[in-house]
Amino acid sequence: MNILLGLLPFLVFALLEHAAGIAAGLSGAALTALGLCLRDWTGPRQHCGVIELLSLLLFGGLAVYAGVYAPNWSVMGVRLSVDAVLLGVMLASMLIGRPFTLGYTRPDTEPALWLSPRFIRSHYVVSGMWTAALAVVVLADALILVWPGTVLAGGVAMVLALLTASRFTTHYAASLRA
């Protein structure tokens, strides 16, 4: 569930950007990420999660960039940028041997299990699923940017990819606990 909460700034961005424009979406997402980081820093974790910190830097930086250098940036251009950076971070986390999902489960897991092959492998599986879902989202973003008439198909693909990753995570975690 913490993974889904970590993605909240991306949802806030999508909702606000659609309702009030790019600047509102980027600013709202940055503030949401800041709130999540403050919650993490003052809570039991005492550190900000990778996705939350990325969100804070990404949305804050893009808000400044869009305001100063690209006031007429297209919605799909912004979305593609946001999703591509998130995908890159997810891929990089696995390539360096620290799947991004590790930080979300360690507070609830006994430290003795952190280095077990099963624990690490499970995080590669879950991180891989979310990374695959984000790859679909990035491809759909690019498709919509190039061919705006594909917005419905692209939107459906995005929703299905994210729902699939979410359901997979829930079921996979339950199967590991059993």
Side-chain angles (χ1 to χ4, degrees), residues 6-7 9-10 29-30 33 37 48-62 81-90 100 104:
L7 295 173
F10 294 86
C37 282
C48 190
V50 171
I51 300 297
E52 292 87 343
L53 187 57
L54 166 75
S55 298
L56 178 58
L57 297 172
L58 175 65
F59 288 115
L62 287 177
S81 298
V82 166
D83 293 338
V85 168
L86 179 59
L87 175 61
V89 168
M90 289 176 166
F100 74 94
Y104 294 100

Side-chain angles (χ1 to χ4, degrees), residues 4-171:
L4 297 178
L5 192 57
L7 295 173
L8 183 61
F10 294 86
L11 177 62
V12 168
F13 166 71
L15 294 174
L16 285 179
E17 166 273 310
H18 184 71
I22 292 171
L26 292 171
S27 300
L31 290 173
T32 301
L34 177 61
L36 291 173
C37 282
L38 290 173
R39 176 197 68 127
D40 287 348
W41 281 320
T42 59
R45 289 174 68 182
Q46 296 186 344
H47 74 280
C48 190
V50 171
I51 300 297
E52 292 87 343
L53 187 57
L54 166 75
S55 298
L56 178 58
L57 297 172
L58 175 65
F59 288 115
L62 287 177
V64 170
Y65 176 79
V68 174
Y69 299 106
N72 297 322
W73 203 359
S74 74
V75 170
M76 286 316 301
V78 174
R79 283 187 181 180
L80 180 58
S81 298
V82 166
D83 293 338
V85 168
L86 179 59
L87 175 61
V89 168
M90 289 176 166
L91 280 169
S93 77
M94 291 192 305
L95 290 173
I96 64 168
R98 297 194 37 88
F100 74 94
T101 57
L102 284 172
Y104 294 100
T105 58
R106 279 192 173 154
D108 301 323
T109 306
E110 294 179 40
L113 297 175
W114 291 359
L115 297 176
S116 77
R118 182 174 184 241
F119 184 77
I120 300 295
R121 185 176 48 254
S122 69
H123 282 281
Y124 273 103
V125 170
V126 173
S127 292
M129 176 56 88
W130 280 98
T131 301
L134 252 292
V136 170
V137 169
V138 168
L139 289 172
D141 286 340
L143 183 70
I144 295 167
L145 186 62
V146 174
W147 293 296
T150 61
V151 70
L152 180 60
V156 168
M158 290 178 202
V159 169
L160 288 175
L162 296 173
L163 284 175
T164 300
S166 177
R167 291 193 66 141
F168 174 83
T169 301
T170 302
H171 292 296

